[in-house]
Amino acid sequence: MRATSLGRNLPRIVVFLSLIAALIGSAAPGAPAAPLAACAPRPAVGVAVVPGGAGALQVTITATTNGSTPTNQLTRLQFGAASGALIDVPGQPAGQPGSFTVVLAASTTQTSFT
């Protein structure tokens, strides 16, 4: 994720929270999210953020496991609107302003973007 305005972290936080909300689970609009019995408790989503140079952040998302979910995977990244930031996802157009979804390959357990 690249900041178009250095020193402004709010757009980064909004995109980050939108991404986490998409990874934790989704339901039909207006319907409450209910975890499947086999996925309770849900494994945490691993998130690592480090400086990526030139005002960018390197974000790595990891599907983790627990006793009730010994295997886990990421299926998609869903980005909300980014204000003052651009998002680069490998295999996608560079410098996207947000509001897009990336469907990941089957069995993906970790992915990164800037």
Side-chain angles (χ1 to χ4, degrees):
M1 190 166 16
R2 294 179 285 158
T4 57
S5 233
L6 294 177
R8 295 183 179 217
N9 291 323
L10 182 59
R12 295 174 181 171
I13 293 168
V14 169
V15 169
F16 177 76
L17 293 177
S18 296
L19 175 63
I20 295 303
L23 290 171
I24 290 174
S26 63
L36 300 173
C39 196
R42 286 189 177 207
V45 175
V47 179
V49 181
V50 296
L57 296 174
Q58 177 71 36
V59 181
T60 301
I61 307 296
T62 305
T64 64
T65 61
N66 64 22
S68 63
T69 309
T71 61
N72 201 6
Q73 63 185 356
L74 301 172
T75 58
R76 70 181 182 269
L77 298 177
Q78 184 174 353
F79 295 90
S83 176
L86 299 173
I87 305 164
D88 295 336
V89 179
Q92 300 292 312
Q96 294 192 67
S99 299
F100 66 98
T101 299
V102 177
V103 176
L104 302 171
S107 301
T108 298
T109 58
Q110 186 175 69
T111 191
S112 295
F113 61 92
T114 56

